[in-house]
């Protein structure tokens, strides 16, 4: 406060070019990464997808896109508040009780280190007060310096389709004598959540388990909602997540090539009953674990773990997207294999052990257990499957696999005509026009859509029909997969399709386009994710040899 004056205070921010940084960093150390991105993208802690992806443009912007606050402190303020839960059965009546326990650190003005209540003698001059309110707003506990608070007959938080999603409010006040110094409020859902991993006759289970009950995860992968992050707002995000609930989702995966979403994303998931698989922000690249880089990401981890860990919707942390499997497939130098192990199997787990020990951690997606132990094993862990689409296999190929949890699989389509009209003029409305091709980031994918289309439908007679037919094709492709994996429930316990949304108007794997319009896939998801679904595994041309010249019998 001694630095500020009543007038003429200036906040000075210098923006550096991310493109120039990429180029200079890559010249010094040409690290491998996704070929869809700008060289050097993995060396800057910025949403990787901004430098290009197979569904997004190369647009690494720079600017202020979240609020900046100046916080005045008279004496001390909270540094770290962690609320833990322990669920137990009352032996007298068998009903569940939930014990909340608290770890509270605060920092005094002009001091470098934080003080922890009950552990640090210097904290003795300060106190804290806790109020707990039930989901109806009734105060059910009011305690001074409480290490634990017991909630009898708790209202448990359940994901969509399994029960209600009640939230308790916990208000904690920091006091010095009678003076209130700081206050923090958290909405907390009372639930347990883990992934059950047990050996069985099919290999090893990988089953989401809430409040002791295993359930089938149904949802999609979430990417940044816009290349220009300042355009994202609470209303837009909440509408997107409401659309997930309308299609019977109970899970959403925040993909590791984007950024850690704003608080409002998780607030909405808490209220809607939507579990979040949360990747740390690493994807499709190798990283040079230099001292400066490690210091940077350690601070990043602590900041985001502390920000997000109280959310009932946060189901698990995952180290990265597709890096373990990539390093297993390709011949990377041993240094980067060692850096990978240190980062994802030592640094992150050790930080989580301190900051969020009650949350499940998974080292990579896909993975079987970590340590490069056959990360694509369909009998263990989670899987990504892309032979349908990238491998040009028919939809029925899904039925040859018994994945334990499928966290990525997808099929492309075009946006609706109304959306295409928003970025084209009439002469552009041909899928092989310059503009339409530029709004397709996956190589020759427009031709691939046509190849799959001719196997299933008659040739469309106009542009509008082609767009719609591509969406029906996409919906059918994902339906084939989801219905098969739901039919083998117990072996497979989750299908998360790629992808939910777009960051700009584009032909992609999304089920909801950039403008928020549902594609046919999202309408189909409402059916194949329905709580009760009738499904049959029909036999037909697609389940047989599609080669028209194939010999129809064995000699």
């Amino acid at each position: 406060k001694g630095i500020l004056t009543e007038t003429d205070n200036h906040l000075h921010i210098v923006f550096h070019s991310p493109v120039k940084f990429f180029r200079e960093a890559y010249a010094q150390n040409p690290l491998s990464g996704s070929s869809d991105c700008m060289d050097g993208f993995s060396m800057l802690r910025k949403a990787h997808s901004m430098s290009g992806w197979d569904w997004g443009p190369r647009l690494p912007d720079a600017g202020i896109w979240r609020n900046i606050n100046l916080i005045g402190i008279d004496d001390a303020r909270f540094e770290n508040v962690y609320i833990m839960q322990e669920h137990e059965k009352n032996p007298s009546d068998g009903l569940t009780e939930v014990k909340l326990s608290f770890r509270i650190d605060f920092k005094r003005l002009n001091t470098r280190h934080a003080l922890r209540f009950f552990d640090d003698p210097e904290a003795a001059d300060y106190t804290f007060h806790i109020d707990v309110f039930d989901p109806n707003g009734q105060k059910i506990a009011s305690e001074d310096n409480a290490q634990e608070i017991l909630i009898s007959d708790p209202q448990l938080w359940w994901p969509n389709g399994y029960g209600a999603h009640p939230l308790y409010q916990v208000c904690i006040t920091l006091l010095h004598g009678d003076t209130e110094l700081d206050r923090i409020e958290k909405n907390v859902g009372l639930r347990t959540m883990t992934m059950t991993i047990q050996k069985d006759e099919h290999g090893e289970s990988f089953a989401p388990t809430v409040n002791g009950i295993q359930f089938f995860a149904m949802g999609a992968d979430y990417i940044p909602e816009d290349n220009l992050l300042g355009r994202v707002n609470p209303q837009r995000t909440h509408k997107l997540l409401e659309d997930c609930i309308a299609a019977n989702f109970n899970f959403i995966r925040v993909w590791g090539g984007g950024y850690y979403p704003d608080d409002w994303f998780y607030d909405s998931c808490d209220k809607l009953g939507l579990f979040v698989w949360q990747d740390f922000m690493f994807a499709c690249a190798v990283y040079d674990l230099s001292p400066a880089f490690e210091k940077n990401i350690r601070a990043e981890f602590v900041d985001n773990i502390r920000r997000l860990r109280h959310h009932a919707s946060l189901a698990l942390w995952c180290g990265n997207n597709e890096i373990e499997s990539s390093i297993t497939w390709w011949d990377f130098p041993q240094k980067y294999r060692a850096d990978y192990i240190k980062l994802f199997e030592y640094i992150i787990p050790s930080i989580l052990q301190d900051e969020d020990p009650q949350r499940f951690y998974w080292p990579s997606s896909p993975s079987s257990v970590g340590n490069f132990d056959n990360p694509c094993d369909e009998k263990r862990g989670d899987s990504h499957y892309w032979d349908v689409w990238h491998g040009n296999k028919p939809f029925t190929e899904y039925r040859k696999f018994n994945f334990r949890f499928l966290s990525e699989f997808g099929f492309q389509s075009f946006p609706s005509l109304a959306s295409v009209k928003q970025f084209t003029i009439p002469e552009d409305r041909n899928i092989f026009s310059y503009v339409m091709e530029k709004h397709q980031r996956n190589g020759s994918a427009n031709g691939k859509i046509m190849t799959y289309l001719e196997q299933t439908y008659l040739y469309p007679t106009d542009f509008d029909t082609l767009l719609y037919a591509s969406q029906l094709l996409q919906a059918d492709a994902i339906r084939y997969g989801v219905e098969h994996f739901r039919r083998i429930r117990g072996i497979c316990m989750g299908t998360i399709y790629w992808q939910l949304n777009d960051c700009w108007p584009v032909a992609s794997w999304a089920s909801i386009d950039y403008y928020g319009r549902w594609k046919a896939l999202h309408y189909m998801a409402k059916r194949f994710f329905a709580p009760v679904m009738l499904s049959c595994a029909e036999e037909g041309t697609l389940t047989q040899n599609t080669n028209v010249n194939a010999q129809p019998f064995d000699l």
Side-chain angles (χ1 to χ4, degrees):
K1 289 184 177 179
I3 296 173
L4 295 177
T5 60
E6 289 191 17
T7 60
D8 298 325
N9 297 291
H10 297 278
L11 182 64
H12 184 68
I13 301 175
V14 177
F15 297 106
H16 298 277
S17 165
V19 176
K20 182 179 179 182
F21 179 91
F22 292 153
R23 183 168 57 246
E24 293 175 353
Y26 189 77
Q28 294 179 12
N29 187 4
L31 291 179
S32 299
S34 171
S35 59
D36 294 301
C37 299
M38 304 173 75
D39 291 337
F41 75 93
S42 68
M43 301 183 195
L44 184 62
R45 296 309 291 155
K46 187 175 186 63
H48 289 350
S49 58
M50 286 185 169
S51 64
W53 219 263
D54 59 3
W55 37 257
R58 295 182 173 183
L59 192 63
D61 68 353
I64 303 169
W65 61 282
R66 278 178 168 153
N67 290 337
I68 296 173
N69 301 307
L70 292 177
I71 302 173
I73 303 171
D74 288 317
D75 186 342
R77 68 187 293 260
F78 285 124
E79 173 74 7
N80 179 25
V81 174
Y82 182 35
I83 305 169
M84 293 166 282
Q85 302 180 25
E86 186 176 338
H87 291 236
E88 297 177 339
K89 294 287 186 181
N90 187 324
S92 62
D93 54 20
L95 297 177
T96 298
E97 295 179 331
V98 177
K99 181 170 64 180
L100 300 182
S101 57
F102 304 90
R103 192 171 74 196
I104 301 175
D105 301 344
F106 68 99
K107 185 177 284 188
R108 294 180 298 181
L109 188 65
N110 298 325
T111 59
R112 290 182 175 271
H113 69 282
L115 303 177
R116 176 165 296 175
F117 281 107
F118 310 117
D119 292 345
D120 198 320
E122 295 182 57
D125 292 337
Y126 296 82
T127 59
F128 65 91
H129 180 80
I130 300 176
D131 289 318
V132 180
F133 300 85
D134 71 15
N136 298 317
Q138 293 291 114
K139 186 183 290 187
I140 59 173
S142 184
E143 302 282 349
D144 290 322
N145 291 347
Q147 285 186 282
E148 298 176 350
I149 290 179
L150 186 66
I151 299 178
S152 301
D153 194 22
Q155 300 178 48
L156 297 183
W157 189 97
W158 295 90
N160 181 40
Y162 287 81
H165 338 295
L167 297 171
Y168 288 72
Q169 186 183 63
V170 179
C171 178
I172 306 175
T173 307
L174 178 64
L175 300 161
H176 192 191
D178 294 329
T179 303
E180 180 178 318
L181 303 177
D182 199 3
R183 176 188 293 260
I184 191 166
E185 296 178 354
K186 302 288 187 184
N187 289 324
V188 177
L190 305 181
R191 93 298 182 269
T192 61
M193 173 65 199
T194 191
M195 301 297 287
T196 298
I197 300 176
Q198 294 178 338
K199 292 189 181 301
D200 58 25
E201 60 184 313
H202 307 287
E204 199 168 71
S205 67
F206 194 75
T209 306
V210 60
N211 300 326
I213 296 176
Q214 295 185 18
F215 68 99
F216 194 96
M218 303 184 293
D221 295 279
Y222 169 90
I223 65 169
E225 294 172 51
D226 207 297
N227 261 96
L228 301 177
L229 299 183
R231 292 177 175 177
V232 183
N233 58 62
Q235 295 74 29
R236 179 177 174 181
T237 298
H238 189 74
K239 175 62 170 63
L240 179 66
L241 296 173
E242 282 186 321
D243 288 345
C244 294
I245 297 301
N248 295 308
F249 284 29
N250 56 37
F251 238 90
I252 190 168
R253 174 175 170 241
V254 177
W255 169 75
Y259 68 101
Y260 304 95
D262 292 88
D263 293 339
W264 65 66
F265 174 91
Y266 303 92
D267 289 339
S268 290
C269 290
D270 288 347
K271 294 172 184 175
L272 295 170
L274 196 57
F275 265 130
V276 179
W277 172 310
Q278 179 65 55
D279 283 3
F280 286 97
M281 292 300 115
F282 302 91
C284 303
V286 294
Y287 301 87
D288 183 9
L289 198 58
S290 66
F293 187 81
E294 181 178 340
K295 181 180 179 181
N296 187 10
I297 58 175
R298 281 181 176 271
E300 171 190 318
F301 299 153
V302 171
D303 182 59
N304 283 285
I305 293 167
R306 289 182 178 181
R307 179 171 68 93
L308 303 179
R309 65 190 174 191
H310 70 281
H311 286 284
S313 58
L314 183 60
L316 68 134
W317 296 101
C318 178
N320 66 78
N321 176 77
E322 293 186 346
I323 301 178
E324 181 187 5
S325 54
S326 297
I327 293 178
T328 303
W329 293 335
W330 305 108
D331 185 23
F332 288 103
Q334 286 298 320
K335 181 237 186 314
Y336 298 117
R337 296 174 71 92
D339 281 356
Y340 175 93
I341 293 293
K342 182 180 179 183
L343 173 54
F344 298 109
E345 300 190 18
Y346 173 71
I347 292 175
I348 293 179
S350 64
I351 292 175
L352 284 171
Q353 186 58 41
D354 288 336
E355 300 291 345
D356 196 15
Q358 294 190 317
R359 199 85 54 181
F360 182 86
Y361 173 69
W362 193 238
S364 184
S365 181
S367 184
S368 295
V369 68
N371 199 31
F372 308 116
D373 181 9
N374 191 10
C376 299
D377 187 351
E378 71 171 286
K379 296 181 179 180
R380 297 178 293 159
D382 75 308
S383 300
H384 294 188
Y385 180 73
W386 282 103
D387 276 357
V388 175
W389 182 257
H390 287 304
N392 298 308
K393 297 292 181 65
F395 306 160
T396 52
E397 198 74 7
Y398 290 117
R399 298 176 182 174
K400 297 180 180 179
F401 296 93
N402 294 323
F403 300 116
R404 307 315 301 261
F405 191 106
L406 194 54
S407 49
E408 259 197 43
F409 65 112
F411 196 93
Q412 271 204 7
S413 72
F414 297 108
S416 302
L417 181 62
S419 295
V420 171
K421 285 182 175 180
Q422 292 186 244
F423 65 89
T424 63
I425 56 178
E427 51 263 42
D428 296 325
R429 291 167 196 160
N430 181 303
I431 65 165
F432 298 114
S433 71
Y434 181 83
V435 170
M436 288 295 292
E437 286 278 23
K438 286 298 180 182
H439 286 254
Q440 167 60 269
R441 311 304 293 179
N442 183 220
S444 58
N446 285 357
K448 182 172 289 190
I449 292 173
M450 298 302 294
T451 299
Y452 271 103
L453 200 65
E454 62 89 12
Q455 298 174 15
T456 314
Y457 301 124
L458 296 178
Y459 194 83
T461 55
D462 57 63
F463 183 69
D464 187 8
T465 304
L466 172 57
L467 300 184
Y468 186 59
S470 77
Q471 293 191 18
L472 295 178
L473 188 72
Q474 177 192 36
D476 231 14
I478 303 305
R479 178 187 66 81
Y480 264 82
V482 171
E483 290 195 8
H484 164 67
F485 295 115
R486 287 192 70 181
R487 286 196 297 266
I488 60 168
R489 180 189 176 121
I491 300 174
C492 182
M493 288 301 288
T495 51
I496 311 295
Y497 67 77
W498 186 269
Q499 68 206 63
L500 171 65
N501 58 303
D502 283 322
C503 66
W504 75 313
V506 65
S508 79
W509 298 270
S511 62
I512 300 176
D513 75 19
Y514 174 72
Y515 299 107
R517 296 185 174 100
W518 287 27
K519 295 184 182 179
L521 171 56
H522 211 75
Y523 289 98
M524 185 68 78
K526 188 174 183 178
R527 297 183 181 185
F528 60 58
F529 283 157
V532 178
M533 179 192 65
L534 181 65
S535 175
C536 62
E538 81 286 356
E539 282 290 330
T541 302
L542 285 177
T543 61
Q544 299 163 12
N545 193 333
T546 56
N547 180 357
V548 295
N549 294 316
Q551 193 161 316
F553 54 85
D554 293 329
L555 294 176

